[in-house]
Amino acid sequence: MSGLDSGAAERRRQFAEEARSERPDLALLCLLLGAEAGPVGPAEVRPVVPGETDPDPYGIDAAQIELDRLAGLLPYGPRSPAGWASALAELLGGRCGFGGSAADYQRLDSSCLQQVLRRRRGLPILLSVVWIEVARRAGAPVYGVALPGHFVVGFGDPDHLVLADPFAGGAPLTGADAELLVTSKTGAPPDPSMTRPARPLEIVLRVLNNIRAWAATRPERTDVALWAVELSLLLPSHPARLRYEHAELLVQRGEFLRGAAEMEEYADVMAGIEPTAAENIRRKARAARALLN
């Protein structure tokens, strides 16, 4: 993770610190993640006096303010879980126009919270983050539900599901709807664990997995793949194979020595588990070093 400027290094430090805190802040982690994609453009989110340095080039503060503003638009008062779901759908899906379409899967900014707040379009998981953060600020009993292939939100007691689909503007999902969604993606009925509340770090890792999948189909965007892997490695729990993926990306980007060294470190870890795989990785490390000749 060398080569970062001081601002980027500080954001990475803050991301790692927040991810290891007792109660990770989902919005802040998603905004720090979104900052990796680059500045949002000051004219798009706030006025800047000519000649002055923009104090919030990545839109992190502006996005937090927008989440607070949206929460303040919800009518005050106690309501049932279904009432919360209906109020959020009316505000976010109706009045504010948050939702998604197939075209949003082709855009990197659909995975960046500050851009989703600006465009009011995004992937199901990022739209769900908007719902979760707005509802939480208003005092709703809300949580994310990581259904396979389609993230939604839940309200109230997880044993008595009240689900809404932010991607569809907040359309309610019955238990049968959720079962059909899961069956269409997996070919099997849902396991009860699929509808448990998703923890913040699970949500962040899933967002990063989506970004890695987006970059994987675009060989020219190894820069995006690299920062997505590096942020994933900063999470306290992540797939061990990401270390090897990071090494491969370094080699693809011409950092042959660093990539080879990381491959060898990963091979040492794998040697006691899968010796054949470890030897194959060492072979790739040797090939990477040979590219310097």
Side-chain angles (χ1 to χ4, degrees):
M1 301 184 197
S2 61
L4 299 175
D5 63 40
S6 60
E10 172 57 23
R11 289 193 300 275
R12 295 281 181 98
R13 184 203 64 76
Q14 191 177 1
F15 182 92
E17 184 178 279
E18 188 61 40
R20 286 164 171 74
S21 67
E22 186 175 345
R23 299 183 66 180
D25 184 322
L26 175 61
L28 179 58
L29 286 168
C30 287
L31 290 168
L32 290 168
L33 183 163
E36 295 283 334
V40 296
E44 296 171 346
V45 292
R46 74 198 76 77
V48 177
V49 178
E52 289 188 359
T53 301
D54 182 2
D56 186 28
Y58 297 94
I60 293 175
D61 294 340
Q64 296 278 25
I65 291 168
E66 176 65 0
L67 290 169
D68 291 341
R69 186 189 73 82
L70 291 170
L73 295 177
L74 282 168
Y76 178 77
R79 49 178 62 88
S80 67
W84 278 114
S86 177
L88 266 292
E90 182 180 344
L91 171 64
L92 297 179
R95 288 165 57 189
C96 297
F98 282 94
S101 68
D104 293 302
Y105 283 88
Q106 305 305 315
R107 300 180 60 130
L108 176 60
D109 56 11
S110 294
S111 291
C112 302
L113 180 55
Q114 44 272 72
Q115 297 286 13
V116 171
L117 284 166
R118 181 181 66 82
R119 294 178 54 239
R120 301 190 175 185
R121 313 294 297 174
L123 297 188
I125 191 168
L126 266 297
L127 291 165
S128 294
V129 170
V130 173
W131 273 58
I132 291 166
E133 289 299 313
V134 170
R136 180 182 64 79
R137 284 164 166 76
V142 65
Y143 48 88
V145 178
L147 296 178
H150 198 83
F151 204 97
V152 297
V153 294
F155 294 87
D157 184 350
D159 292 328
H160 300 87
L161 288 174
V162 174
L163 297 176
D165 183 2
F167 192 71
L173 282 176
T174 65
D177 293 332
E179 183 171 344
L180 184 61
L181 253 178
V182 172
T183 303
S184 68
K185 297 288 184 181
T186 67
D191 183 278
S193 66
M194 292 178 182
T195 55
R196 66 171 177 77
R199 295 189 294 269
L201 296 187
E202 293 172 336
I203 296 174
V204 172
L205 182 58
R206 184 156 165 167
V207 172
L208 288 165
N209 288 344
N210 287 341
I211 293 171
R212 288 170 47 235
W214 179 91
T217 63
R218 296 164 174 82
E220 74 281 4
R221 297 312 307 266
T222 56
D223 58 324
V224 173
L226 187 65
W227 65 251
V229 170
E230 290 183 344
L231 287 184
S232 301
L233 289 169
L234 292 176
L235 298 175
S237 178
H238 54 261
R241 185 174 170 80
L242 285 178
R243 292 173 57 189
Y244 179 60
E245 186 174 328
H246 186 257
E248 285 189 310
L249 284 167
L250 290 175
V251 171
Q252 288 175 35
R253 292 175 60 78
E255 297 188 51
F256 304 121
L257 288 178
R258 278 187 67 206
E262 289 192 12
M263 283 183 182
E264 288 163 348
E265 289 174 7
Y266 185 71
D268 290 342
V269 173
M270 291 292 294
I273 307 168
E274 296 183 39
T276 302
E279 183 51 39
N280 288 336
I281 293 168
R282 289 195 179 96
R283 230 182 341 261
K284 289 185 178 181
R286 291 193 292 271
R289 290 184 188 279
L291 292 172
L292 288 168
N293 298 331

